[in-house]
Amino acid sequence: MPSVFLVVLLLLGCSDSFTFDGNIIDFAVVNSTLYIAADDKLYQMNSSLSVERLKDTSNTTHHNRLKILVPFEKNNTLFTCGDRSCGYCVVHDLNDISKIIHEEFINVASINPEDSSLGFLVDLEDGQESTYLLAGAFQREEKLRNCNSEGYLLTLRSTKDSQTGGIFSAIGEQGTPFIGTRRKDVVEFVKGFQLDSRIYVFLNLRQNKTLSPVRVRLLWMDAKVNKRNTLSSLGGVTLQCCEDKSRALLVSSTGAHGSSQQLWAGVFTAGNDRVPVNTALAIFSLTQIITNGGSTNKDSDFCLSCTGQNTEQIQPVAVNPTAVVFRYSWMTSVASVTLGSWLVYFVGTGDGQLIKIAVDKALKTTCPIVLYKADDDRKISKMVLDPGDEKHIYVALENQIRKVGVAQCERYESLTSCWNAQDPHCGWCASQNRCMFRDECSGSLWFSIPDGSVQKKMFSFQVDLSPSKEEVTVNVMAHLNEQHTGRPAFSCAFTTEQGNLCVGSGSVSPSHSCSCSFSTEKLPAAGLRVRVQISLGDQQVSEDWTLRNCSALVGEPTAGLCSDCVTAGCLWSHHTCTWMSKPPRLNQTEATCQSYPSGQNISEPKIISVDPNEISFYGKNNVTLKGENLDQVTKIRIRDKMDCNPKESPVWNRSNHSLTFHVPSASKGVVTVCTVVPGGKCHGSAEIAYRSLPSCSSLSPNSTWASGGRIIRILGSNLQFVDGVEHDGNQQTLNMNASSNGIGWYQTPASGDETVKGVRLKVANKTINCPPLTYHADPEFTSFTATPTGDDLRITIKKKADKMNIGPEELTIWAMDHRCENIIVETGKNIGEDSVVCEISNEANAKIQTVKIILGYRTYEVDGAHSFMYLILLILCIIPLIIVGVVWIYRVKQRNLSEQMNERLELLENDIRNEIRQGFVDMQTEKSDLTENVGAIPFLDYKHFASRIFFPEAGAATSSFLKDLGQDSVKVHTDESCQALSRLIQEQFFLTSFIHTLEEQKNFTIKDKCTVASLLTLALHSDLPYLTEVMEDLLRTLMDLSSNAQPKLMLRRTESIVEKLLTNWMSICLYGFLRESVGQPLYLLVSALNQQISKGPVDSVTEKALYTLNEDGLLWQAQDFNTLKLKVSYAVVSMGEGSAPLEVSVLDCDTVEQVKEKILAAFRSKFGFPYSGKLGDINITYEKAGGCVLLQEVDSTSQVLGEVTMLNTLRHYQVPDGAPVKVTLKEAHAPLSSQVSLKDDKNFSIKYFHLIDPDIDHDLRKHPERKKLKLKEVYLTKLLSTKVAVHSFVENLFRTIWGTANSRVPPAVKYFFDFLDTQAENKKITDPDVLHIWKTNSLPLRFWVNILKNPQFVFDMEKTPQLDSCLSVIAQAFMDSFSLAENQLGKHAPTNKLLYAKDIPQYKQEVKAYYKQVRDMLGFTGPEFKVFLQEESKKHENEFNESAALREIYRYMQRYFTEIQEKLEQNGASSDLKEQLQKVKDLFNSHKSCSWD
């Protein structure tokens, strides 16, 4: 049987927890292997909590409860002892517990299951065979007599056969030494361990097991050369706890820590777990205890080898704790670990929480951290840290073992939140920008809380006044501990709205402090808001502080005045605010001010009660607080006993005597609430207890009827915390009643069908799942009979059998206005039928026609059995007639349906034929009326073109790099630091080393690379020859890397700084060619595409269009449409009258916003400048029947399908061809009917539709055109017709790009292609395909495709989604023209490829000719091309703010300053260059440097 059970356990796999059949008695961890005693079974588990071995220690006749479990790692064995057969001990193989090395029936552990035992290993001073098992067992005399055995309280047992007496023997050199009790007291062992050469045993001693008094005793012995000498060194004291209240029982203890004090901690209890401070975690100094302890072997309770005599005794010394560090209602276990100077305690509670507390050198505690919280009240009985890395702790919760992390560092996402966690395990790793364990942050700065010192804030400040009273000094202190090989620079920058505050801004300090002095004239009476930028290495933290004139904070000593004083860094002393003295005193906190009155003229609120005062840890909504003077309360403050992380909750329904508030979720425990009044003072006190969550184990009954109203009982725990019950499909929360015995009940809602519904308990804002509830059809009551029985009338009601087990208490039956009594439900007497029997008193001769039955929410009326029989006969007569009629009707309907289907199929075939024919006709007959008269081309000026190329995603953020019109003609002064950086990057050796250093950093992203490349382009724009030289050098390095692996992949992507530099360089050098040659054909193509798209419908929601080049953007679901010519008049604001009507072409399926766009476009095309109002600023009205109809996207007449609204179109408003339309500007205070764009709504695509119907069922009879079957493939001809319409524009553009007008190409193209040819020759690359790919990746892919897909980079225009999808297809065809691969396209190839499939071969020939012509042309000499570059620099020499770019470059230099220095050292940089670098840093860090926010 055990082997079968083990297989089942192994199949469960690893988890963070494991549940056993019985409760865990004890467990130990050795080398990441767990040994667990659960009742009579012994488990061996790995660190993932998978069972590796299982040993059943009982036999068929005797149960064995394991009492002692001790691993002997040095000997590779495991000792276990139990109570089977008056004592049974086993030695197991530590690697395989199923292997038994030795077993023996011997009395080592207590033989009574309820009594206490203890076991641990000790080392004596008797040579190599020095390890013994110290065993403790409390034995009852009656049990010992039954077993004919002697009982010893404390003995030393041999662990090897070679020791005296053999394994488990207590025999010494002279008899059997042991420690016994002088009286017949009950002993409860708690803990034992050896520290250095001293052995400690902690226990509780009581005269009677259930009655006080109880004493906590600590016994110790010195490890001597043998058993007797060791036991004879017995000493002891009584431990007392605590000053606030007596806690006379020791629950759990942990080992001692600290080299000098040897601090030991234990959990003491007063025995009432409903009191918030019932238990206390107290710390004692073992060193002090031993020094002041009792005399050896003269203890009044214990002695060597005594059996009850009470002679020669000395009362043990009573010792009080050094400190009490934590109080809680129900602590049950404790474990500890040392981290530097911190003592970290892990506390387990009786309600299933694992709490972490850190204690500093002064025995002050940080705020508790809840590492784990059980949903129920499982008690944590023991905890053991994982000895491997001490990053996990194993926790025993009754019958469950759980593995929990000792810290939750990953929860904290910033340096500040990581520090505020106050967890010694966690620190901020600078290199990874994460909160993590120290050993996970290798070779980097690791910031944590100060070692062994509790601090409330990471940064604090104090202000003092100079003796002359003319200068104020702010002293900033950082409370941090950093670990690194070097010491990070600490600096502060103080800024106000007016700029730098003082001379100290930016100062660098080797310590964790800095100061700033400034004139008192800068400190106004109302205070000065200061932002302090604190730098710790490359980590930066901002703090906003308000500095006050300490002398000006005067008035009555109130809590508000005191708080203002302390938070301003001043000193509150003797009820007044003064300047901080020198040296500064210890930090004051706002707790200093709690004892002062609020200073408000408000009656002090008093709290009488809070209802409820017990809730689950999910919190509670609508808690009622009653009291006096509550009408001025602004909020409720909720805080725990240690005043950690107080929370505040707003109040409502407030009156003088009551108010309502929400209690947020929290950990289990007791909190205090008080009422906050204006001024921040908190009055009154009441307690709220957070308990475990409700549970829902079962529903009884677990089914109900469809009409609802059945009472369902909920079995579980803590149901008093439930706010209601939720059912699947039911929007309302159902009321639930709860009793004190763990039962709740509610009535089920109605359900329309038979189904299984999920049931959940609503607790605050969360839910807890219950077992599902099954809905059956309502019961069917078929008939009844009435039979006289004496003076009464018995009624028997027939009911069809069902699965709901309806009970008599659920039925209410009425007959003749009398309620039926003594209801009995009889099941199973007849197959498929049940009976309900009841009686009506004193109605034996009554004639009952109808019985009324109430079940849940439904009432049934049941007729007598005779009426039922007549009905059956009538139905049997009618059935044949009904069958004949149904057959006849069916045949007629079938014939009509067949005719209708044939008719519809014929119509469908005709529709498809017409669609295909119409598409063919359109393609062959459509006139190419795309105009080339587009007026002036709106080119962007050079600086805006360049900024969009350099920073395509930055948008308006690039404005800082551009000079405005006032700066174009005047060279802006560059400060000294930026000049120095400019000179430094002019050193090519430095610049290339700088770039290589950045690219080697793992956290330097591709986005950073592109940004740095563009910043360098701006900074060196005035020296393009030098920029070109640097780029060539970097390209050679890149080629060296690429040529070793895949040379064809070089320059394919932008994954390095030089690749982005090349993009920018091409853009600079080809701007003239772009504007003079390519700009016009590109703009004509864009205009032609826009015209073609606007000829057909465009869906305003999905942005799909009928006329497009891209199948993904094809509007194949479009309905029929007509072109309308509107006569539009524009209101001229300045003249107060309309302009001459303008004819505008629109479609009747256009939305109102699309009509507005076409009207504004027509105006701009006609007059060459935009209309004075933007799209969102205008209204359009349709003049109809002497009135005006305001056209809106959505109004009260809009069609609604389900919850989706159709956008209004001209067809909706029935606007005819030639209709007059007027454009007016919206008023400054427009009425509610005037709309802004609906597209601003983030749910626009969900709430509205245009041409594509939403995917819902709706009645199509009003819109028969929607019944037409639409096939996407029918509309693919629209792609072809669009291609034909714009084909000439596409070819003109392509041939302009790769043409060689006048046998010349742009100088940059010839120069760079020659550069690539030279590099290929130098690297012995003979494959012509490689050169072709390099050139293609450099020019068309890197520059021209970017321009083709983004015409807004070149022109002042907006790119619509429809235009974008078309340009993507054209750009793909453009790149396919440069491809060397021969694509074999079949019928399944994408249409985007097929569209230009026949044109691509011709284009490829032209591209090859272009490359050949470039190669054959006469090249440029170095000086010639340098002149070209100098001219390009000069054209745009005053268009960019180079200083702004240099400041941004310095940000990256500052971030990786150390790495840059190391790279220069590796590359053998000159000392002069390194000095230049250091000088740049000094200049930027000085108060004279160029600054930025």
Side-chain angles (χ1 to χ4, degrees), residues 1130-1146:
Y1130 298 81
V1132 180
V1133 178
S1134 61
M1135 297 175 61
E1137 59 185 7
S1139 61
L1142 183 67
E1143 188 174 80
V1144 179
S1145 292
V1146 296

Side-chain angles (χ1 to χ4, degrees), residues 33 47 80 92 94 195 299 484 506 541 586 685 739 902 1008 1035 1190 1193 1285 1350 1423-1424 1438 1462:
T33 300
S47 60
T80 62
H92 303 263
L94 195 63
L195 185 62
D299 193 281
H484 189 253
V541 179
L586 294 176
S685 177
S739 63
N902 291 335
D1008 290 334
L1035 281 171
L1190 177 64
E1193 287 274 272
N1350 298 287
E1424 289 176 340
N1438 277 327
E1462 293 173 355

